[in-house]
Amino acid sequence: MEYRAFGQTDMKVSALGFGGAEIGQQVDARQVDALLGSALDAGLNLIDTAACYGRSEELIGQAVSHRRNDFYLFSKCGHASGLSTPDWDVQTLRDSIDRSLKRLKTDYLDLIQLHSCSLETLQQGVVIEVLQQARDAGKVRYLGYSGDNEAALYAVESGAFDSLQTSVNVADQSVIDRILPAAQARGMGIIAKRPIANVAWQYAETPDNAYYVTYWQRLKALQYDFTRRPTTEAVSVALRFTLSVPGVTTAIVGTTNPGRWQQNADLANQGPLDATEYDAIRNRWHEVAKPDWVGQT
């Protein structure tokens, strides 16, 4: 597994990180134990989750808290997700962070991220102050913003965050031209979410999952040559494209299949995408992408 410096922090993270969204729904503890155990054994050292991912935090805490020194633990806050106070309320943020620590069975988080709050909320500044207070109290080590478009650019330019998590993939490239260079210039760690575009090209008809539809529509227009290859080869190209984007530190991939982690690690270990193929994907995007093809949260 390749390891990369996470911005200006003291962390050196695996190029492939575990995304905890998928395990939050209808996955039992034994399956998560096997899944995370295999991921850590494959060399992964970054687990990213969120307070609103169902039972994700609890399951992660149960499965791997005894291996806490083997990985960096990132979470997100902001949504009430069962708390009595509103989203983005000061008390919600404080209680959410404390709840995450309890669920994850840890004394600290390596990174806490604001979970896709609006530009207006960011501009008010209070949400940032709450995270800074949590850092000062030793509950978290670093601060991040997870989101896209104008809010992501504001978060980068504010100078308040150590990292940015944002959508980067073959069907979502607007961030590459505008936001990532600014984040890279500020020495931020950059986490790519949705790095394989949900493999949306594999659907012959409109996907049932609404979360995939925008990418499916874009990919039908883009008609990349690589999407016609066998699925494993195509996923390899898509993943390695994202990992080859300048500034990207790590790509977060979620799965409920324990055997998938070694497969993903093997794909990532094939190294950067060939420059000719990378440039072809970028050029095709610039030829076809419409002005409203903005980042998808």
Side-chain angles (χ1 to χ4, degrees), residues 30-110:
R30 286 180 297 178
Q31 187 175 353
V32 173
D33 186 67
L35 178 62
L36 291 177
S38 66
L40 294 176
D41 292 342
L44 173 141
N45 74 350
L46 189 167
I47 296 176
D48 177 87
T49 184
C52 63
Y53 290 167
R55 297 184 62 228
S56 177
E57 289 184 323
E58 293 175 84
L59 291 169
I60 291 168
Q62 292 171 19
V64 292
S65 60
H66 66 287
R67 297 183 63 173
R68 183 66 180 86
N69 293 331
D70 293 345
F71 60 91
Y72 297 112
L73 187 53
F74 298 177
S75 196
K76 310 180 194 75
C77 63
H79 302 286
S81 302
L83 298 173
S84 60
T85 45
D87 292 354
W88 310 114
D89 181 82
V90 168
Q91 196 60 47
T92 298
L93 291 164
R94 290 173 178 161
D95 290 346
S96 181
I97 292 170
D98 289 342
R99 182 177 61 180
S100 292
L101 293 173
K102 183 177 180 180
R103 286 173 169 176
L104 290 160
K105 297 185 178 181
T106 185
D107 295 329
Y108 69 95
L109 296 171
D110 292 291

Side-chain angles (χ1 to χ4, degrees), residues 260-282:
R260 187 65 52 79
W261 267 109
Q262 190 58 57
Q263 296 173 20
N264 288 334
D266 290 343
L267 296 180
N269 285 338
Q270 291 176 11
L273 194 62
D274 177 80
T276 300
E277 189 156 29
Y278 177 87
D279 290 342
I281 292 171
R282 290 289 287 133

